[in-house]
């Protein structure tokens, strides 16, 4: 099942962006009158009939629509430190999208191996993964922010690292921190996966933390290989983050992040 | 923490294989008298003192040992169809090792995209992942076998696809099918992730299947993108496999396999 992304509408019709139109017309050879499936990236899938097709733009009238298409019953925000090897972060992004995630925030901490992070490629991977796993919503990738800013809930203004297209599509830090789910009555659950090797703080498993929680909005912070700094962990605790562990296994950053996504997936699995 | 693998002993001393010795002496510049950490790949970690060091062989006397080092409290066998793209299978193997798995069996079915499968590279990845995640046991990678042979529990004899080293290190199909855990009193739990798009069979979630099970030995079959054939699924059911689903998300083969590993991980998480 081929899915196209259309973030734009005009006169009640879905408009495919240039790259999507190119793929639709040049590669898949769709023509006027063809029926295609389109997601808006916000959660809805549309069955559409193409009304005009060129390699630069495709317009399609909406025949039917399905909200919350392929949606998961919770909201998950993963704040994950960039990995030394970018492939590993890209892999995490793809897998988290397949399993179920709403927002990914690259957080740069005192011990982060990588301080510079490009969101553009992650955004493409998330779009492809959402289409492939039949989800109407494409998870947001936020501009990187410092661990302190993330914890404080005060995002720095996003920088358009990849030109206009990037800045246009990038969820701003503010948007990430005040995401769709934040209007829920229940307080969001905020978790930080941290070692506390000095054993100064008792930790519960992420599984137990999720089972105790009756709401639907979860944020999990995953640090770099070198973990968060004690100061960062203390700040998180002072702002209501609950320290959790991810079980006995020693997991790489990207595996820990996917494990956090799986923990939520299993918490709400029927 | 640098970990070395030694599958061999001589006069009570651990012997590093040539590639491990090379890494130990040439790269890390270890010398006689140095203390190193060695795993036997079967579950035990040894603290050793090097008694003789050359680029071809390293001998080390055992100072102390720890059984079940980094072990998980259950036994998991994942029978997973090869993916079209081998990187995805390699990724799954690495992640499953980090999370916790005992045996990986590549199973070739009627709808498998890939019929040829090389175990040698997966074996190297599993060894590296076990060291990196501080586990004394290196998961076994079995020689590929047909879905039918796997279900029937009658493995074809292994073929040394990669020469002597491979055949020496490769767990035979028999060994895979009659692994360490099989001596347990409790019947092993056998699960097959299958769609049954005709809805002829009610499925429970893998989470529920694991929660109902009181034993410690689990086998999960994960099919190719095109799923198992109805005949393969029927054969599995007739042999006591329980049909399960992995939740609402549409997962790629390698993501489904990692999700199965995570399901067991969370089932026994404390």
């Amino acid at each position: 099942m081929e899915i196209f992304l259309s973030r734009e509408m005009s006169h009640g019709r879905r408009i495919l962006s240039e790259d999507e139109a190119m793929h639709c017309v040049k590669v898949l050879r769709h023509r006027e009158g063809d029926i295609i499936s389109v997601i808006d990236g916000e959660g809805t899938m549309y069955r559409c009939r193409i009304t005009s097709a060129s390699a630069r733009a495709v317009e399609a009238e909406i025949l039917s629509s399905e909200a919350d298409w392929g949606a998961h019953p919770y909201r998950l925000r993963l704040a994950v430190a960039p990995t030394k090897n970018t492939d590993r972060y890209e892999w995490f992004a793809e897998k988290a999208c397949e399993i179920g995630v709403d927002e990914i925030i690259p957080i740069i901490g005192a011990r982060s191996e990588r301080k510079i992070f490009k969101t553009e490629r992650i955004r493409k991977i998330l779009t492809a993964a959402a289409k492939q796993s039949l989800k109407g919503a494409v998870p947001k990738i936020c501009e990187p922010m410092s661990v302190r800013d993330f914890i404080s809930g005060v995002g720095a203004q996003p920088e358009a690292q990849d030109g206009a297209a990037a800045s246009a599509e990038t969820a701003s830090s503010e948007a990430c921190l005040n995401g769709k789910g934040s209007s829920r009555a229940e307080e969001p659950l905020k978790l930080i996966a941290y070692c506390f090797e000095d054993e100064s703080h008792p930790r519960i498993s992420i599984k137990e933390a999720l089972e105790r929680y009756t709401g639907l909005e979860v944020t999990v912070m995953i640090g770099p290989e070198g973990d968060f700094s004690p100061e960062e962990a203390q700040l998180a605790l002072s702002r209501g983050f609950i320290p959790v562990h991810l079980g006995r296994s020693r997991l790489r950053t990207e595996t820990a992040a996917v494990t956090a996504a799986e923990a939520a997936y299993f918490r709400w699995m029927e």
Side-chain angles (χ1 to χ4, degrees), chain A:
Chain A
M1 183 179 188
E2 187 69 30
I3 309 290
F4 299 96
L5 175 68
S6 159
R7 294 194 178 270
E8 194 187 342
M9 278 194 67
S10 166
H11 306 92
R13 295 182 169 170
R14 302 303 316 188
I15 311 297
L16 300 194
S17 62
E18 190 163 344
D19 55 341
E20 290 282 298
M22 180 74 79
H23 184 65
C24 178
V25 173
K26 288 285 178 194
V27 180
L28 298 168
R29 305 230 166 264
H30 280 301
R31 297 285 173 262
E32 205 174 303
D34 288 359
I35 307 295
I36 58 173
S37 299
V38 175
I39 58 170
D40 62 3
E42 299 301 321
T44 303
M45 189 275 277
Y46 300 88
R47 291 292 290 168
C48 302
R49 180 185 290 110
I50 296 175
T51 50
S52 82
S54 83
R56 300 175 126 257
V58 167
E59 250 186 51
E61 62 177 330
I62 297 167
L63 305 177
S64 65
S65 70
E66 191 178 330
D68 298 326
W69 191 60
H72 44 276
Y74 52 91
R75 294 199 50 72
L76 178 63
R77 173 186 297 155
L78 293 174
V80 182
T83 50
K84 208 180 298 177
N85 172 340
T86 54
D87 294 354
R88 294 183 174 276
Y89 208 92
E90 292 169 5
W91 163 78
F92 142 66
E94 176 183 293
K95 295 317 168 195
C97 179
E98 282 181 57
I99 296 155
V101 68
D102 297 280
E103 291 166 8
I104 294 172
I105 304 101
I107 47 171
I108 315 291
R111 299 181 182 174
S112 288
E113 296 144 318
R114 175 179 292 273
K115 309 280 183 186
I116 298 162
F117 187 88
K118 292 272 180 194
T119 53
E120 184 55 20
R121 189 167 153 74
I122 299 290
R123 189 174 307 108
K124 291 196 172 109
I125 286 164
L126 289 171
T127 301
K131 291 177 180 180
Q132 196 272 339
S133 57
L134 307 184
K135 295 177 191 291
V138 177
K140 287 188 168 50
I141 173 72
C142 304
E143 287 301 316
M145 69 179 80
S146 75
V147 167
R148 292 185 161 279
D149 284 347
F150 177 75
I151 293 169
S152 306
V154 184
Q157 285 311 304
E159 289 152 35
Q161 299 186 346
D162 309 283
S167 62
E169 268 200 15
T170 302
S172 79
S173 308
E174 281 304 321
C176 287
L177 291 167
N178 308 308
K180 304 176 209 168
S182 60
S183 61
R184 295 182 188 284
E186 177 83 22
E187 271 296 294
L189 179 66
K190 300 186 292 181
L191 306 176
I192 180 169
Y194 182 65
C195 293
F196 288 108
E197 274 157 357
D198 60 353
E199 287 163 6
S200 57
H201 290 76
R203 295 175 305 157
I204 57 174
S205 71
I206 188 170
K207 176 187 176 184
E208 189 179 346
L210 288 168
E211 281 168 355
R212 288 181 185 180
Y213 178 59
T214 56
L216 291 170
E217 187 174 5
V218 179
T219 296
V220 186
M221 289 178 69
I222 304 288
E225 298 293 339
D227 210 345
F228 293 108
S229 72
E231 297 69 28
E232 290 166 340
Q234 285 302 336
L235 178 63
L237 267 51
S238 72
R239 298 302 181 98
F241 278 79
I242 299 166
V244 294
H245 66 76
L246 301 176
R248 294 187 191 173
S249 291
R250 183 196 197 217
L251 306 173
R252 287 176 177 273
T253 294
E254 75 278 8
T255 318
V258 165
T259 297
E262 298 269 18
Y265 185 60
F266 283 113
R267 161 66 176 79
W268 280 283
M269 182 177 284
E270 290 154 359

